Each structure stands twice: as C-alpha cells, then as structure tokens.
Amino acid sequence: MERVIIFDTTLRDGEQAAGGTLNTKEKLESAKQLARLGVDVIEAGFPIASPGDFEAVNLIAKEVRSPSICALARAVPEDIDRAGEALKEAAHPRIHIFLSSSDIHLVYQLKKSRQEILEMARNMVTRAKKYTDDIEFSPMDATRTEPEYIYQILEAVIDAGATTVNIPDTVGYTIPDEFGRLISGILKNVPNIRQAVVSIHCHDDLGLAVANSLEALRHGARQVECTINGIGERAGNASLEEIVMAIKTRHDLFNLTTNIDTMQIYRTSRLVSELTGFMVQPNKAIVGTNAFSHESGIHQDGVIKMPITYEIIDPKMVGISASSLVLGKLSGRHAFKERLAELGYSLSDEDFSRAFAVFKQLAEKKKTITNKDIESLVAEEQRTVSEIYHLDRIQVSCGDRGIPTAAVRLIGPEGQVIADAALGTGPVDAIYKAINRLVGVTNKLTEFSVKSVTEGIDAIGEVLIRVESGGITYTGRGADTDIIVASAKAYINALNRLLTTKKTTE
Ligand code: KIV
Ligand code: ZN
C-alpha cells in the first residue's frame, strides 16, 4: 500500500480560527502530542506574522525532532528569510511558500499580472532553497484558478526546486468530482510533476473538506493537509481524524496507509479542544462524545450481541478507553495510573502525584469518578503549571437580599500573597472585579459559558470564557465541583494566557 503524508496545520491554519490563539508553551505541548500521534509534517506557524509566531516555530524546531517542521511564508524575501531563520535548528526543516493564483486575487488583491506572479513564485522558491531542500509551494485559491495557469506555475516552481506542490481549496468552493479532475489534470499535464509530491489543502465552507481531500487522494495526491478536530479559518479545515480513519476503515477502497498511531487520536483531540477552547460538537465523527454511543434499543441489542452490527470502528482503536468502570475514594495510585495510561496520558512523576492528590480530594466530594472527570481534573492541574497568578482562596456571599460580594486571595508572580474584595451585580461579577483590582489588566469579557462534565448533582462544572484585550481574544477554562470557583479559575486562566502572550510580544 502507498503511504499518504499527513501534514498537520493545527498550529498554523487551525490557530487562525477566530479566538483560537495559543501561546508558545501551548503550541509546544500540542506539537509534542502531534509527534506522538505520528504526523509527518507539523506546520508550526507563520514566523513573519509576529514575534510570538517566530518564537513558537523556533522552539518547536529545536524540541520536536522526528516530524518535519514547516514554516509558512508569503512569496516575498523578508518572509522567506524569517522562515529560514526560525527553522535554523530544525532536524527536518520545510519552508511553505504561498502565492495567489486566481484572477480574482490577482486583479482585486495583488494587482499583478500572471507573468509577474510566475516570476515571483520561481524566484522565491530559488531563494528558499538557500535554507533547506524541502520546499513546498501553494498557488492560493487554486480551485478558482484556470487549470492551465496552475500547470504553468507548478512546472516553474518544481523547476526551481519545489519538492511538494500543494493545491489549496482556499475558500472551500470545490466539490469532490471537480477536485478529483483537477488533481488528475495536474498529474497528466505538468511535465515534471513526478519530481514533487502532490498535496491538497481543503477548507470546509461547503462542508466538503474531507470528501474533497479523499477524492484527491483517490486521484493520486499523496500529501493531505488537515487539522485536529477540523479547526481553522472560517468553517475550518479538513479534519485529520476523519481522513485518517476513512483511509484506515476503507483500505479496501483506498489501498493507502498513513503513519498515524490512531490510539493517540482521542487524546490529541481533547488536548486541542482544551487549549483552544473550541468544544467538539457531540455528534462530530470519530471524536464527538456521541460518536460511539448507541441510544436506540435495536442498535444497543445489536452492539451487545456483536459490535460490528452497528459500529464500523472499534472505539479503542482511536484511544477511547474501553473501561467504563468508575473509580472512587478507595481507588489507589495504581488504578489511577492505569486509567490515565488507558486515556492516553503520560504524566511526569511530579504531575502524576499532583493529579492523584486532586483525584483523592475530588473522590471525597463525588462518589463516582468517571473518565470524563479524570480528563477534566488532569486538564485543570495542567492549567495551573507555570501560572503567573494562582487562585489561592475565594469567598463569596450572594443571594436575593444581600449585595453580591467577593473576597479573593491570589499568589502573585513573585510568590507574594495579595488579596482584595469587590461588590458586583452577581457573584461572578464580584469575583471578576476583585481579580481585576489585583491583576490590573484591561480586558473585556466577551463570552461566558458553563457546562457539567457528567450528569448528577455532584458533577464537576466546567467554565469557558473569552476575554478580549488589544484586539486579541484569549480563552480561559476552569473546572471545579463549585461553579463559582470554576468561574474564578477560568478568569485567572484567561488572564495568565493574556499576560504570557504580552510578555512574549514585548
Ligand atoms: O487556505 C489556504 O490557501 C492556505 C494557504 C496558505 C495554503 O492556508
Ligand atoms: Zn488554509
């Protein structure tokens, strides 16, 4: 079977999704998990875009050694040089150059002729070759470009040394049959095409990104660009987990394989959702909460008798724990460690000890601890690692007669204990005002939502918030059996991310 190269762009196109900003540490953590998942290429960012992006690409290039690390660049010298600089220490560096090719973009945006574009593309690929042999070129908006012009550009860039040519459906406009024909046309009409890998990059504006990608693979493309949970600009990108599992489940049809360790899919999906603050819809294929739950009696009966009756994928194959046994206050370190491993976590000894202590505290309050509780508590613990401000204590008084009042105590950046109190229109407002008095960063709360992790009155409540500051949106999350405490944790989490990003930019 031929192998498909999995190019993950969660940290570049995925992070371009409105409100999905990640800081350097979060990008590095995601990149390490993507390496565990087995992706071949990680597009780590767009170094010219900001100092933070440069730093993230640079750090990932230093620390994540097995996949190729790719940096994005426009077809201009400054971008290429900045990308080359960011990748200096990469084990396998790749520069990805993009340049619009459709007349719509040429006339209205770039105001350049086709000939000028062709020259720019050729020259910039030649320039990028100074930094690495591994060069990818994308004619942006390819699906709205006249195919004959794409053939010309591809021939020119391959001639200049491009080793991968990527065909982006930038605005999610194409449909499977048309896209398949475009890929066949490229393979047939570009004379030097065998010297490069043909890649595809589909957006989901018409809900067809995965279908289009799969059709392109059937027509000879051998690299697919995708993101975890399908996150990305506007309606998102093609979802990695759906493409990989389609290829695997229907190998009879595709006769293709990938390097992905599918057991890491669920864990990667949870991590990306956790860090970006984008929840996965319950009915999302492969990784949604309902993807493997059977409600109808007839289906349940079938699955009990033989899972294959209504399940085309064994949930264990994507890393969803087979064990539905709940843990409780009598469960020991060993049982907890085993369950963490089943859920795909590999914590350091120190992180494990902290997580176990929190597990024990939770078991005192909550009779049964499910897998979802464990995921939530580990995520909460990881959020508190290297915080700038840490929530130490909180006390709230509220009700329909009194004035909502909150007293908050934080541990500050130098380990100092700071405390203050405030009145508000409700308990959360009072807490946020008290925290604002202590931290003193201007921001606007733009989103607040609360949900319970499991059913039952003693469930953990998870709060997700978004705050805006200086035109950037920051996400914060907090979990606790007390939703007022969870709200405070979420706000501190958002402020810590805001402060970390500001520090990096400065
Ligand atoms: O969608 C797109 O065209 C892109 C390019 C940079 C490849 O993301
Ligand atoms: Zn894109």
Side-chain angles (χ1 to χ4, degrees):
M1 280 196 280
E2 273 189 73
R3 189 164 75 80
V4 174
I5 298 166
I6 302 292
F7 177 115
D8 180 277
T9 182
T10 306
L11 299 178
R12 199 278 298 168
D13 220 344
E15 207 232 3
Q16 260 169 248
T21 327
L22 300 178
N23 61 37
T24 306
K25 187 174 151 274
E26 292 164 338
K27 284 190 183 172
L28 180 62
E29 188 184 347
S30 309
K32 287 184 175 165
Q33 179 59 28
L34 289 170
R36 259 177 244 129
L37 177 66
V39 306
D40 301 285
V41 187
I42 295 176
E43 188 163 49
F46 189 6
I48 196 87
S50 70
D53 248 47
F54 178 90
E55 193 201 27
V57 175
N58 192 242
L59 190 65
I60 292 170
K62 268 188 227 157
E63 301 221 357
V64 183
R65 309 300 287 175
S66 61
S68 297
I69 306 299
C70 177
L72 186 70
R74 288 168 301 178
V76 293
E78 310 80 86
D79 282 38
I80 310 264
D81 297 345
R82 195 82 174 131
E85 170 76 16
L87 291 171
K88 219 167 45 195
E89 291 171 73
H92 311 284
R94 174 181 293 194
I95 297 180
H96 176 189
I97 305 167
F98 70 99
L99 181 59
S100 289
S101 57
S102 68
D103 286 339
I104 300 176
H105 283 207
L106 265 54
V107 172
Y108 296 109
Q109 196 179 13
L110 301 186
K111 306 197 188 316
K112 291 207 185 297
S113 69
R114 286 187 178 187
Q115 193 52 39
E116 283 173 296
I117 293 290
L118 205 65
E119 286 308 311
M120 278 169 79
R122 200 194 325 260
N123 293 342
M124 290 306 114
V125 169
T126 309
R127 186 178 188 102
K129 277 287 196 190
K130 278 199 311 205
Y131 298 102
T132 170
D133 274 341
D134 190 353
I135 307 294
E136 172 167 332
F137 181 85
S138 292
M140 187 154 81
D141 204 19
T143 50
R144 293 191 299 169
T145 304
E146 195 187 305
E148 279 65 30
Y149 182 50
I150 298 185
Y151 305 154
Q152 274 181 37
I153 300 184
L154 299 187
E155 186 180 356
V157 294
I158 295 172
D159 213 31
T163 40
T164 299
V165 287
N166 178 47
I167 312 303
D169 183 24
T170 304
V171 289
Y173 177 72
T174 196
I175 61 165
D177 177 63
E178 179 185 61
F179 199 46
R181 277 187 281 117
L182 176 62
I183 300 302
S184 294
I186 288 169
L187 286 166
K188 208 164 114 212
N189 295 302
V190 178
N192 52 2
I193 196 71
R194 304 285 157 199
Q195 293 166 35
V197 174
V198 175
S199 167
I200 65 256
H201 174 113
C202 296
H203 279 271
D204 209 28
D205 300 65
L206 293 175
L208 292 170
V210 170
N212 288 335
S213 304
L214 292 173
E215 192 61 8
L217 293 177
R218 274 162 50 81
H219 284 79
R222 286 296 173 265
Q223 172 177 286
V224 60
E225 304 200 350
C226 41
T227 61
I228 301 296
N229 301 336
I231 63 167
E233 185 87 36
R234 306 181 311 277
N237 289 58
S239 134
L240 180 148
E241 58 279 7
E242 292 177 22
I243 291 173
V244 167
M245 291 316 291
I247 293 174
K248 193 172 173 87
T249 310
R250 298 308 311 272
H251 59 88
D252 57 321
L253 216 119
F254 290 102
N255 202 25
L256 292 170
T257 179
T258 71
N259 262 352
I260 296 296
D261 173 2
T262 60
M263 296 285 287
Q264 292 290 334
I265 285 181
Y266 185 65
R267 170 80 200 103
T268 316
S269 161
R270 297 290 304 164
L271 180 73
V272 169
S273 167
E274 159 67 27
L275 294 179
T276 56
F278 294 136
M279 288 181 190
V280 174
Q281 77 205 51
N283 59 321
K284 165 87 173 63
I286 318 296
V287 289
T289 336
N290 292 348
F292 298 100
S293 62
H294 305 273
E295 272 306 297
S296 121
I298 295 173
H299 289 204
Q300 286 176 348
D301 174 64
V303 170
I304 290 166
K305 288 178 177 148
M306 178 57 90
I308 198 180
T309 49
Y310 292 95
E311 251 173 23
I312 58 165
I313 297 170
D314 179 348
K316 282 195 254 70
M317 205 192 261
V318 293
I320 294 179
S321 169
S323 178
S324 54
L325 286 180
V326 292
L327 300 181
K329 70 176 178 182
L330 297 178
S331 308
R333 289 177 80 87
H334 186 67
F336 184 59
K337 195 167 222 163
E338 277 205 345
R339 184 60 58 87
L340 285 176
E342 262 178 51
L343 293 171
Y345 292 99
S346 53
L347 302 189
S348 65
D349 288 349
E350 194 189 327
D351 286 350
F352 172 77
S353 295
R354 281 156 32 106
F356 184 65
V358 179
F359 162 75
K360 281 295 192 186
Q361 282 165 17
L362 181 64
E364 287 298 327
K365 294 188 200 157
K366 195 172 184 294
K367 208 161 152 252
T368 53
I369 312 279
T370 65
N371 290 343
K372 291 215 165 64
D373 292 322
I374 294 173
E375 284 170 4
S376 179
L377 81 81
V378 175
E380 182 58 41
E381 268 316 286
Q382 288 178 343
R383 278 193 286 267
T384 60
V385 177
S386 62
E387 285 178 306
I388 299 175
Y389 286 93
H390 176 71
L391 181 70
D392 185 37
R393 282 185 196 178
I394 178 167
Q395 190 184 324
V396 175
S397 114
C398 62
D400 63 351
R401 296 298 141 100
I403 301 172
T405 313
V408 174
R409 197 163 95 169
L410 305 180
I411 311 287
E414 269 96 45
Q416 76 278 32
V417 176
I418 46 177
D420 211 328
L423 307 177
T425 52
V428 175
D429 185 44
I431 292 168
Y432 285 19
K433 283 192 173 131
I435 293 175
N436 283 346
R437 291 165 72 108
L438 292 167
V439 178
V441 249
T442 325
N443 71 84
K444 194 169 135 226
L445 183 71
T446 55
E447 198 179 320
F448 178 97
S449 66
V450 55
K451 74 170 175 72
S452 75
V453 171
T454 51
E455 57 280 354
I457 197 71
D458 57 356
I460 294 180
E462 258 183 6
V463 172
L464 172 97
I465 65 160
R466 290 206 163 86
V467 299
E468 204 235 84
S469 176
I472 304 178
T473 298
Y474 302 88
T475 303
R477 279 186 145 173
D480 200 283
T481 46
D482 180 327
I483 56 165
I484 297 294
V485 177
S487 306
K489 287 179 175 174
Y491 192 45
I492 291 289
N493 180 235
L495 294 183
N496 279 327
R497 292 171 84 164
L498 188 163
L499 291 168
T500 309
T501 307
K502 272 207 167 139
K503 227 163 82 183
T504 318
T505 318
E506 278 157 20

